[in-house]
mmCIF file of all heavy atoms in Angstrom:
data_model
loop_
_atom_site.group_PDB
_atom_site.id
_atom_site.type_symbol
_atom_site.label_atom_id
_atom_site.label_comp_id
_atom_site.label_asym_id
_atom_site.label_seq_id
_atom_site.Cartn_x
_atom_site.Cartn_y
_atom_site.Cartn_z
ATOM 1 N N GLY A 1261 96.969 123.387 128.026
ATOM 2 C CA GLY A 1261 97.540 123.332 129.382
ATOM 3 C C GLY A 1261 98.654 122.282 129.520
ATOM 4 O O GLY A 1261 99.637 122.522 130.238
ATOM 5 N N CYS A 1262 98.489 121.101 128.872
ATOM 6 C CA CYS A 1262 99.532 120.088 128.946
ATOM 7 C C CYS A 1262 100.804 120.569 128.250
ATOM 8 O O CYS A 1262 101.901 120.414 128.795
ATOM 9 C CB CYS A 1262 99.031 118.826 128.234
ATOM 10 S SG CYS A 1262 97.749 117.944 129.155
ATOM 11 N N LEU A 1263 100.666 121.251 127.136
ATOM 12 C CA LEU A 1263 101.835 121.735 126.388
ATOM 13 C C LEU A 1263 102.645 122.798 127.221
ATOM 14 O O LEU A 1263 103.807 122.847 127.140
ATOM 15 C CB LEU A 1263 101.405 122.346 125.056
ATOM 16 C CG LEU A 1263 100.866 121.345 124.014
ATOM 17 C CD1 LEU A 1263 100.305 122.146 122.838
ATOM 18 C CD2 LEU A 1263 101.926 120.339 123.588
ATOM 19 N N LEU A 1264 101.889 123.605 127.960
ATOM 20 C CA LEU A 1264 102.550 124.713 128.685
ATOM 21 C C LEU A 1264 103.088 124.290 130.078
ATOM 22 O O LEU A 1264 104.028 124.887 130.565
ATOM 23 C CB LEU A 1264 101.559 125.874 128.850
ATOM 24 C CG LEU A 1264 101.098 126.529 127.562
ATOM 25 C CD1 LEU A 1264 100.096 127.664 127.775
ATOM 26 C CD2 LEU A 1264 102.326 127.116 126.767
ATOM 27 N N THR A 1265 102.412 123.321 130.707
ATOM 28 C CA THR A 1265 102.749 123.020 132.096
ATOM 29 C C THR A 1265 103.493 121.728 132.335
ATOM 30 O O THR A 1265 104.289 121.601 133.236
ATOM 31 C CB THR A 1265 101.417 122.950 132.929
ATOM 32 O OG1 THR A 1265 100.599 121.902 132.441
ATOM 33 C CG2 THR A 1265 100.725 124.273 132.895
ATOM 34 N N LEU A 1266 103.252 120.710 131.481
ATOM 35 C CA LEU A 1266 103.950 119.406 131.685
ATOM 36 C C LEU A 1266 105.341 119.408 131.154
ATOM 37 O O LEU A 1266 105.685 120.085 130.103
ATOM 38 C CB LEU A 1266 103.129 118.302 131.077
ATOM 39 C CG LEU A 1266 101.809 117.950 131.664
ATOM 40 C CD1 LEU A 1266 101.136 116.875 130.916
ATOM 41 C CD2 LEU A 1266 101.906 117.573 133.111
ATOM 42 N N PRO A 1267 106.256 118.633 131.750
ATOM 43 C CA PRO A 1267 107.635 118.512 131.249
ATOM 44 C C PRO A 1267 107.674 117.655 130.003
ATOM 45 O O PRO A 1267 106.788 116.780 129.843
ATOM 46 C CB PRO A 1267 108.430 117.885 132.404
ATOM 47 C CG PRO A 1267 107.382 117.092 133.154
ATOM 48 C CD PRO A 1267 106.052 117.905 133.004
ATOM 49 N N ALA A 1268 108.621 117.811 129.154
ATOM 50 C CA ALA A 1268 108.817 116.993 128.003
ATOM 51 C C ALA A 1268 109.273 115.569 128.416
ATOM 52 O O ALA A 1268 110.015 115.468 129.396
ATOM 53 C CB ALA A 1268 109.847 117.589 127.052
ATOM 54 N N PRO A 1269 108.825 114.493 127.797
ATOM 55 C CA PRO A 1269 107.993 114.482 126.574
ATOM 56 C C PRO A 1269 106.470 114.399 126.897
ATOM 57 O O PRO A 1269 105.692 114.154 125.958
ATOM 58 C CB PRO A 1269 108.467 113.188 125.852
ATOM 59 C CG PRO A 1269 108.826 112.303 126.984
ATOM 60 C CD PRO A 1269 109.367 113.138 128.100
ATOM 61 N N TRP A 1270 106.143 114.406 128.210
ATOM 62 C CA TRP A 1270 104.724 114.201 128.551
ATOM 63 C C TRP A 1270 103.820 115.361 128.058
ATOM 64 O O TRP A 1270 102.633 115.216 127.910
ATOM 65 C CB TRP A 1270 104.581 114.083 130.102
ATOM 66 C CG TRP A 1270 104.977 112.731 130.532
ATOM 67 C CD1 TRP A 1270 106.151 112.406 131.118
ATOM 68 C CD2 TRP A 1270 104.194 111.546 130.409
ATOM 69 N NE1 TRP A 1270 106.155 111.008 131.397
ATOM 70 C CE2 TRP A 1270 105.000 110.484 130.977
ATOM 71 C CE3 TRP A 1270 102.935 111.205 129.952
ATOM 72 C CZ2 TRP A 1270 104.560 109.168 131.026
ATOM 73 C CZ3 TRP A 1270 102.521 109.950 129.992
ATOM 74 C CH2 TRP A 1270 103.283 108.912 130.551
ATOM 75 N N ASN A 1271 104.400 116.525 127.770
ATOM 76 C CA ASN A 1271 103.574 117.609 127.263
ATOM 77 C C ASN A 1271 103.062 117.303 125.885
ATOM 78 O O ASN A 1271 101.980 117.844 125.450
ATOM 79 C CB ASN A 1271 104.358 118.917 127.240
ATOM 80 C CG ASN A 1271 105.607 118.818 126.388
ATOM 81 O OD1 ASN A 1271 106.121 117.671 126.085
ATOM 82 N ND2 ASN A 1271 106.216 119.930 126.008
ATOM 83 N N LEU A 1272 103.691 116.419 125.111
ATOM 84 C CA LEU A 1272 103.213 115.973 123.853
ATOM 85 C C LEU A 1272 102.538 114.572 123.975
ATOM 86 O O LEU A 1272 101.512 114.287 123.301
ATOM 87 C CB LEU A 1272 104.297 115.939 122.820
ATOM 88 C CG LEU A 1272 104.933 117.246 122.495
ATOM 89 C CD1 LEU A 1272 106.102 116.989 121.499
ATOM 90 C CD2 LEU A 1272 103.945 118.165 121.820
ATOM 91 N N ARG A 1273 103.096 113.763 124.827
ATOM 92 C CA ARG A 1273 102.698 112.351 124.905
ATOM 93 C C ARG A 1273 101.253 112.227 125.473
ATOM 94 O O ARG A 1273 100.362 111.545 124.946
ATOM 95 C CB ARG A 1273 103.637 111.571 125.708
ATOM 96 C CG ARG A 1273 103.273 110.158 125.892
ATOM 97 C CD ARG A 1273 104.233 109.486 126.832
ATOM 98 N NE ARG A 1273 105.540 109.269 126.247
ATOM 99 C CZ ARG A 1273 106.661 108.984 126.928
ATOM 100 N NH1 ARG A 1273 106.573 108.846 128.284
ATOM 101 N NH2 ARG A 1273 107.820 108.791 126.392
ATOM 102 N N LEU A 1274 101.004 113.007 126.568
ATOM 103 C CA LEU A 1274 99.662 112.865 127.295
ATOM 104 C C LEU A 1274 98.505 113.315 126.409
ATOM 105 O O LEU A 1274 97.480 112.632 126.276
ATOM 106 C CB LEU A 1274 99.687 113.608 128.616
ATOM 107 C CG LEU A 1274 98.506 113.414 129.460
ATOM 108 C CD1 LEU A 1274 98.271 111.912 129.840
ATOM 109 C CD2 LEU A 1274 98.647 114.244 130.737
ATOM 110 N N PRO A 1275 98.583 114.558 125.776
ATOM 111 C CA PRO A 1275 97.514 114.952 124.849
ATOM 112 C C PRO A 1275 97.277 113.925 123.719
ATOM 113 O O PRO A 1275 96.132 113.591 123.355
ATOM 114 C CB PRO A 1275 97.901 116.286 124.292
ATOM 115 C CG PRO A 1275 98.912 116.794 125.326
ATOM 116 C CD PRO A 1275 99.646 115.580 125.847
#
Side-chain angles (χ1 to χ4, degrees):
C1262 291
L1263 292 174
L1264 296 177
T1265 60
L1266 292 178
W1270 282 101
N1271 58 341
L1272 296 175
R1273 181 185 287 167
L1274 187 59

